[in-house]
PDB file of all heavy atoms in Angstrom:
ATOM      1  N   GLN X 144     166.337  10.111  29.784  1.00 96.00           N
ATOM      2  CA  GLN X 144     166.819  10.989  28.722  1.00 96.00           C
ATOM      3  C   GLN X 144     168.150  10.478  28.184  1.00 96.00           C
ATOM      4  O   GLN X 144     168.954  11.230  27.671  1.00 96.00           O
ATOM      5  CB  GLN X 144     166.948  12.422  29.276  1.00 96.00           C
ATOM      6  CG  GLN X 144     167.272  13.502  28.268  1.00 96.00           C
ATOM      7  CD  GLN X 144     166.108  13.869  27.374  1.00 96.00           C
ATOM      8  OE1 GLN X 144     165.011  13.355  27.538  1.00 96.00           O
ATOM      9  NE2 GLN X 144     166.338  14.761  26.442  1.00 96.00           N
ATOM     10  N   PHE X 145     168.374   9.181  28.351  1.00 95.00           N
ATOM     11  CA  PHE X 145     169.550   8.442  27.867  1.00 95.00           C
ATOM     12  C   PHE X 145     170.865   9.164  28.163  1.00 95.00           C
ATOM     13  O   PHE X 145     171.860   9.041  27.442  1.00 95.00           O
ATOM     14  CB  PHE X 145     169.429   8.110  26.364  1.00 95.00           C
ATOM     15  CG  PHE X 145     169.246   9.285  25.423  1.00 95.00           C
ATOM     16  CD1 PHE X 145     170.340   9.924  24.855  1.00 95.00           C
ATOM     17  CD2 PHE X 145     167.977   9.715  25.090  1.00 95.00           C
ATOM     18  CE1 PHE X 145     170.178  10.991  23.984  1.00 95.00           C
ATOM     19  CE2 PHE X 145     167.792  10.772  24.211  1.00 95.00           C
ATOM     20  CZ  PHE X 145     168.893  11.425  23.663  1.00 95.00           C
ATOM     21  N   GLY X 146     170.892   9.923  29.278  1.00 95.00           N
ATOM     22  CA  GLY X 146     172.108  10.614  29.690  1.00 95.00           C
ATOM     23  C   GLY X 146     172.512  11.771  28.806  1.00 95.00           C
ATOM     24  O   GLY X 146     173.648  12.258  28.889  1.00 95.00           O
ATOM     25  N   ALA X 147     171.608  12.254  27.942  1.00 94.00           N
ATOM     26  CA  ALA X 147     171.935  13.309  26.980  1.00 94.00           C
ATOM     27  C   ALA X 147     172.531  14.528  27.684  1.00 94.00           C
ATOM     28  O   ALA X 147     172.036  14.968  28.721  1.00 94.00           O
ATOM     29  CB  ALA X 147     170.685  13.705  26.214  1.00 94.00           C
ATOM     30  N   HIS X 148     173.572  15.096  27.076  1.00 93.00           N
ATOM     31  CA  HIS X 148     174.278  16.222  27.702  1.00 93.00           C
ATOM     32  C   HIS X 148     174.230  17.451  26.799  1.00 93.00           C
ATOM     33  O   HIS X 148     173.293  18.236  26.882  1.00 93.00           O
ATOM     34  CB  HIS X 148     175.723  15.803  28.031  1.00 93.00           C
ATOM     35  CG  HIS X 148     176.491  16.842  28.773  1.00 93.00           C
ATOM     36  ND1 HIS X 148     176.134  17.286  30.027  1.00 93.00           N
ATOM     37  CD2 HIS X 148     177.622  17.529  28.437  1.00 93.00           C
ATOM     38  CE1 HIS X 148     176.987  18.199  30.446  1.00 93.00           C
ATOM     39  NE2 HIS X 148     177.907  18.377  29.486  1.00 93.00           N
ATOM     40  N   VAL X 149     175.197  17.604  25.890  1.00 93.00           N
ATOM     41  CA  VAL X 149     175.198  18.767  24.995  1.00 93.00           C
ATOM     42  C   VAL X 149     173.985  18.695  24.070  1.00 93.00           C
ATOM     43  O   VAL X 149     173.699  17.665  23.455  1.00 93.00           O
ATOM     44  CB  VAL X 149     176.498  18.800  24.157  1.00 93.00           C
ATOM     45  CG1 VAL X 149     176.464  19.975  23.189  1.00 93.00           C
ATOM     46  CG2 VAL X 149     177.709  18.897  25.072  1.00 93.00           C
ATOM     47  N   ASP X 150     173.231  19.791  23.991  1.00 91.00           N
ATOM     48  CA  ASP X 150     171.992  19.876  23.207  1.00 91.00           C
ATOM     49  C   ASP X 150     170.955  18.848  23.663  1.00 91.00           C
ATOM     50  O   ASP X 150     170.074  18.471  22.893  1.00 91.00           O
ATOM     51  CB  ASP X 150     172.276  19.679  21.705  1.00 91.00           C
ATOM     52  CG  ASP X 150     173.130  20.798  21.129  1.00 91.00           C
ATOM     53  OD1 ASP X 150     173.076  21.919  21.679  1.00 91.00           O
ATOM     54  OD2 ASP X 150     173.847  20.549  20.143  1.00 91.00           O
ATOM     55  N   GLY X 151     171.043  18.433  24.919  1.00 87.00           N
ATOM     56  CA  GLY X 151     170.118  17.434  25.423  1.00 87.00           C
ATOM     57  C   GLY X 151     169.029  17.937  26.354  1.00 87.00           C
ATOM     58  O   GLY X 151     167.943  17.351  26.415  1.00 87.00           O
ATOM     59  N   PRO X 152     169.269  19.019  27.128  1.00 92.00           N
ATOM     60  CA  PRO X 152     168.297  19.392  28.148  1.00 92.00           C
ATOM     61  C   PRO X 152     166.901  19.702  27.592  1.00 92.00           C
ATOM     62  O   PRO X 152     166.756  20.500  26.669  1.00 92.00           O
ATOM     63  CB  PRO X 152     168.915  20.651  28.770  1.00 92.00           C
ATOM     64  CG  PRO X 152     170.383  20.514  28.540  1.00 92.00           C
ATOM     65  CD  PRO X 152     170.494  19.857  27.201  1.00 92.00           C
ATOM     66  N   THR X 153     165.902  19.042  28.146  1.00 91.00           N
ATOM     67  CA  THR X 153     164.508  19.372  27.821  1.00 91.00           C
ATOM     68  C   THR X 153     163.832  20.095  28.974  1.00 91.00           C
ATOM     69  O   THR X 153     162.680  20.522  28.842  1.00 91.00           O
ATOM     70  CB  THR X 153     163.698  18.107  27.501  1.00 91.00           C
ATOM     71  OG1 THR X 153     163.652  17.267  28.659  1.00 91.00           O
ATOM     72  CG2 THR X 153     164.297  17.335  26.337  1.00 91.00           C
ATOM     73  N   ILE X 154     164.519  20.244  30.104  1.00 94.00           N
ATOM     74  CA  ILE X 154     163.926  20.903  31.266  1.00 94.00           C
ATOM     75  C   ILE X 154     164.799  22.072  31.702  1.00 94.00           C
ATOM     76  O   ILE X 154     166.001  21.920  31.970  1.00 94.00           O
ATOM     77  CB  ILE X 154     163.747  19.921  32.441  1.00 94.00           C
ATOM     78  CG1 ILE X 154     162.678  18.891  32.098  1.00 94.00           C
ATOM     79  CG2 ILE X 154     163.366  20.667  33.721  1.00 94.00           C
ATOM     80  CD1 ILE X 154     162.405  17.891  33.194  1.00 94.00           C
ATOM     81  N   GLY X 155     164.178  23.247  31.749  1.00 94.00           N
ATOM     82  CA  GLY X 155     164.773  24.443  32.305  1.00 94.00           C
ATOM     83  C   GLY X 155     163.823  25.034  33.322  1.00 94.00           C
ATOM     84  O   GLY X 155     162.910  24.354  33.810  1.00 94.00           O
ATOM     85  N   ASP X 156     163.987  26.323  33.635  1.00 95.00           N
ATOM     86  CA  ASP X 156     163.174  26.889  34.713  1.00 95.00           C
ATOM     87  C   ASP X 156     161.703  27.047  34.337  1.00 95.00           C
ATOM     88  O   ASP X 156     160.830  26.995  35.213  1.00 95.00           O
ATOM     89  CB  ASP X 156     163.761  28.218  35.205  1.00 95.00           C
ATOM     90  CG  ASP X 156     164.026  29.216  34.102  1.00 95.00           C
ATOM     91  OD1 ASP X 156     163.641  28.960  32.937  1.00 95.00           O
ATOM     92  OD2 ASP X 156     164.627  30.270  34.397  1.00 95.00           O
ATOM     93  N   ASN X 157     161.368  27.203  33.039  1.00 94.00           N
ATOM     94  CA  ASN X 157     159.952  27.309  32.670  1.00 94.00           C
ATOM     95  C   ASN X 157     159.213  25.997  32.923  1.00 94.00           C
ATOM     96  O   ASN X 157     158.190  25.956  33.617  1.00 94.00           O
ATOM     97  CB  ASN X 157     159.809  27.710  31.199  1.00 94.00           C
ATOM     98  CG  ASN X 157     160.165  29.159  30.959  1.00 94.00           C
ATOM     99  OD1 ASN X 157     160.046  29.994  31.859  1.00 94.00           O
ATOM    100  ND2 ASN X 157     160.610  29.475  29.758  1.00 94.00           N
ATOM    101  N   LEU X 158     159.723  24.904  32.353  1.00 95.00           N
ATOM    102  CA  LEU X 158     159.077  23.614  32.588  1.00 95.00           C
ATOM    103  C   LEU X 158     159.201  23.195  34.046  1.00 95.00           C
ATOM    104  O   LEU X 158     158.305  22.539  34.586  1.00 95.00           O
ATOM    105  CB  LEU X 158     159.666  22.546  31.673  1.00 95.00           C
ATOM    106  CG  LEU X 158     159.279  22.631  30.195  1.00 95.00           C
ATOM    107  CD1 LEU X 158     159.831  21.434  29.429  1.00 95.00           C
ATOM    108  CD2 LEU X 158     157.767  22.691  30.029  1.00 95.00           C
ATOM    109  N   GLY X 159     160.305  23.574  34.693  1.00 96.00           N
ATOM    110  CA  GLY X 159     160.457  23.257  36.110  1.00 96.00           C
ATOM    111  C   GLY X 159     159.360  23.880  36.949  1.00 96.00           C
ATOM    112  O   GLY X 159     158.795  23.233  37.843  1.00 96.00           O
ATOM    113  N   ASN X 160     159.025  25.135  36.673  1.00 97.00           N
ATOM    114  CA  ASN X 160     157.933  25.794  37.404  1.00 97.00           C
ATOM    115  C   ASN X 160     156.598  25.118  37.128  1.00 97.00           C
ATOM    116  O   ASN X 160     155.762  24.978  38.024  1.00 97.00           O
ATOM    117  CB  ASN X 160     157.870  27.280  37.036  1.00 97.00           C
ATOM    118  CG  ASN X 160     158.789  28.125  37.895  1.00 97.00           C
ATOM    119  OD1 ASN X 160     158.486  28.431  39.040  1.00 97.00           O
ATOM    120  ND2 ASN X 160     159.928  28.499  37.336  1.00 97.00           N
ATOM    121  N   SER X 161     156.379  24.687  35.882  1.00 96.00           N
ATOM    122  CA  SER X 161     155.140  23.992  35.543  1.00 96.00           C
ATOM    123  C   SER X 161     155.045  22.656  36.279  1.00 96.00           C
ATOM    124  O   SER X 161     153.992  22.307  36.831  1.00 96.00           O
ATOM    125  CB  SER X 161     155.068  23.760  34.029  1.00 96.00           C
ATOM    126  OG  SER X 161     153.917  23.007  33.692  1.00 96.00           O
ATOM    127  N   ILE X 162     156.149  21.908  36.293  1.00 98.00           N
ATOM    128  CA  ILE X 162     156.170  20.615  36.989  1.00 98.00           C
ATOM    129  C   ILE X 162     155.871  20.798  38.464  1.00 98.00           C
ATOM    130  O   ILE X 162     155.060  20.075  39.059  1.00 98.00           O
ATOM    131  CB  ILE X 162     157.532  19.926  36.794  1.00 98.00           C
ATOM    132  CG1 ILE X 162     157.707  19.496  35.330  1.00 98.00           C
ATOM    133  CG2 ILE X 162     157.682  18.726  37.725  1.00 98.00           C
ATOM    134  CD1 ILE X 162     159.129  19.103  34.975  1.00 98.00           C
ATOM    135  N   TYR X 163     156.514  21.793  39.067  1.00 98.00           N
ATOM    136  CA  TYR X 163     156.316  22.000  40.506  1.00 98.00           C
ATOM    137  C   TYR X 163     154.896  22.454  40.822  1.00 98.00           C
ATOM    138  O   TYR X 163     154.300  22.028  41.824  1.00 98.00           O
ATOM    139  CB  TYR X 163     157.323  23.024  41.034  1.00 98.00           C
ATOM    140  CG  TYR X 163     157.237  23.191  42.529  1.00 98.00           C
ATOM    141  CD1 TYR X 163     157.677  22.167  43.370  1.00 98.00           C
ATOM    142  CD2 TYR X 163     156.712  24.344  43.098  1.00 98.00           C
ATOM    143  CE1 TYR X 163     157.598  22.307  44.749  1.00 98.00           C
ATOM    144  CE2 TYR X 163     156.622  24.488  44.469  1.00 98.00           C
ATOM    145  CZ  TYR X 163     157.064  23.458  45.297  1.00 98.00           C
ATOM    146  OH  TYR X 163     156.967  23.588  46.661  1.00 98.00           O
TER     147      TYR X 163
END
Side-chain angles (χ1 to χ4, degrees):
Q144 187 74 3
F145 58 91
H148 185 63
V149 178
D150 295 333
T153 63
I154 292 181
D156 52 7
N157 287 333
L158 287 185
N160 273 282
S161 176
I162 292 167
Y163 185 71

